[in-house]
Amino acid sequence: MDSALVEILKKSRRVLVLTGAGASAESGIPTFRDQLTGLWEKFDAAELANDEAFQRDPALVWGWYEWRRALVMRSKPNPAHLALAELAKHQPELVLVTQNVDDLHERAGSPSVLHLHGELLKPRCEKCARPYRFPLGIPEMPVEGARIDPPRCPECLWNIRPGVVWFGESLPGDAWNAAVDAASRCDLFLCVGTSARVQPAASLGMRAGKAGAVTVQVNPNPTDFDEEVEFCVRAPAGVALPQMVGAMVALNPR
Ligand code: OAD
């Protein structure tokens, strides 16, 4: 690791981490835009990830999210998730923001996670927004592309919808406001495994940089953020983060 970066990591106290699909890639969860393996290479977002699609064909959309939920529930946190959970023990001011809809940060032990794009495991009624509880246990793995009728809200009988933010929808206000606030106050902005293509999440790095934070990106591939960021760590998150967190916690004993 770059020795200048190591010095910065050691000094950082107010850290904001933004994770994207690449942070869960080593847990076996596909990203969206990686060539060949990305979900949006294989599936049409216009048919699956907006409210019009759900109104048109609820079983197709619900079936796809059930397939993703089954995949997530069979996966485990990887060393990147575990390293960030360890960092939280040493840096109480750490703010962890994710675009991911899985629960791998939580399962790794991160005490507080701001989910900008919602959560697969927290569906709700499309009409009254009442939360829906999935039956306990790991669901059967649906066949890719399987149509599954969504359950009905026990209260108003409308469809239950996935708990994720779809294209055209606003981000959850509390999570977004807290992320913007953290971007204006952090001294280190660490961007992990995101293509930085989706707004407004991608704007957090620029906000943090303008407010004076050192900006660092962990990604094995080039991204739109390369031009703006001060340090690019070109490595998989599961390799880079344990090393980076190791440098950070050495001087931050509990
Ligand atoms: P993308 O699929 O756009 O980007 C994933 C990034 O992870 C790419 O830049 C890869 O190079 C990188 N990557 C792959 N493997 C990695 C690894 N092992 N370690 C680190 N990086 C790795 O995913 P996001 O940027 O998260 O939105 O996508 C943002 C949003 O677009 C998602 O939240 C989703 C999608 O449409 C919604 O569903 C609303």
Side-chain angles (χ1 to χ4, degrees):
M1 214 181 340
D2 185 322
S3 59
L5 174 57
V6 173
E7 287 313 306
I8 284 165
L9 294 176
K10 283 181 179 172
K11 281 192 222 138
S12 300
R13 291 293 173 273
R14 293 188 310 280
V15 181
L16 168 56
V17 180
L18 171 68
T19 61
S24 295
E26 289 154 86
S27 295
I29 311 286
T31 63
F32 292 92
R33 296 177 183 81
D34 278 285
Q35 280 179 356
L36 304 178
T37 56
L39 290 173
W40 295 153
E41 294 293 317
K42 209 166 159 191
F43 300 99
D44 184 354
E47 299 214 341
L48 295 165
N50 60 70
D51 190 52
E52 294 74 43
F54 188 60
Q55 298 311 324
R56 196 166 53 236
D57 195 343
L60 178 73
V61 173
W62 184 260
W64 190 65
Y65 282 95
E66 279 295 273
W67 170 72
R68 288 180 58 195
R69 181 171 75 96
L71 205 59
V72 163
M73 290 186 77
R74 282 167 173 74
S75 69
K76 292 199 177 84
N78 68 54
H81 299 109
L82 296 169
L84 291 172
E86 183 63 23
L87 184 58
K89 291 185 196 159
H90 297 262
Q91 295 211 347
E93 289 190 67
L94 172 72
V95 177
L96 176 55
V97 180
T98 189
Q99 297 166 90
N100 297 342
V101 295
D102 62 50
D103 63 342
L104 292 173
H105 285 307
E106 285 89 345
R107 276 197 266 150
S110 284
S112 160
V113 187
L114 298 171
H115 281 272
L116 294 184
H117 292 167
E119 295 177 68
L120 266 182
L121 303 182
K122 295 193 177 165
R124 63 180 187 276
C125 172
E126 64 170 342
K127 171 91 169 150
C128 71
R130 185 189 173 97
Y132 172 79
R133 278 214 191 147
F134 284 115
L136 288 177
I138 298 185
E140 277 194 23
M141 192 77 209
V143 188
E144 257 181 58
R147 306 175 106 76
I148 301 173
D149 285 326
R152 295 293 176 123
C153 173
E155 204 62 19
C156 64
L157 303 181
W158 282 63
N159 280 332
I160 299 298
R161 59 156 284 173
V164 304
V165 175
W166 278 326
F167 290 106
E169 295 182 328
S170 306
L171 305 196
D174 289 355
W176 175 244
N177 292 337
V180 168
D181 181 54
S184 69
R185 290 186 296 105
C186 64
D187 55 21
L188 176 71
F189 177 83
L190 183 53
C191 182
V192 181
T194 174
S195 61
R197 299 267 297 277
V198 174
Q199 296 293 356
S203 69
L204 287 172
M206 207 175 65
R207 284 172 189 265
K210 276 193 180 153
V214 176
T215 51
V216 180
Q217 172 179 239
V218 175
N219 199 311
N221 303 307
T223 75
D224 291 359
F225 199 37
D226 282 9
E227 301 286 297
E228 289 167 40
V229 82
E230 282 157 79
F231 293 93
C232 266
V233 179
R234 288 256 193 267
V239 173
L241 281 183
Q243 291 173 12
M244 294 168 81
V245 168
M248 291 162 96
V249 304
L251 287 189
N252 284 306
R254 261 179 286 174

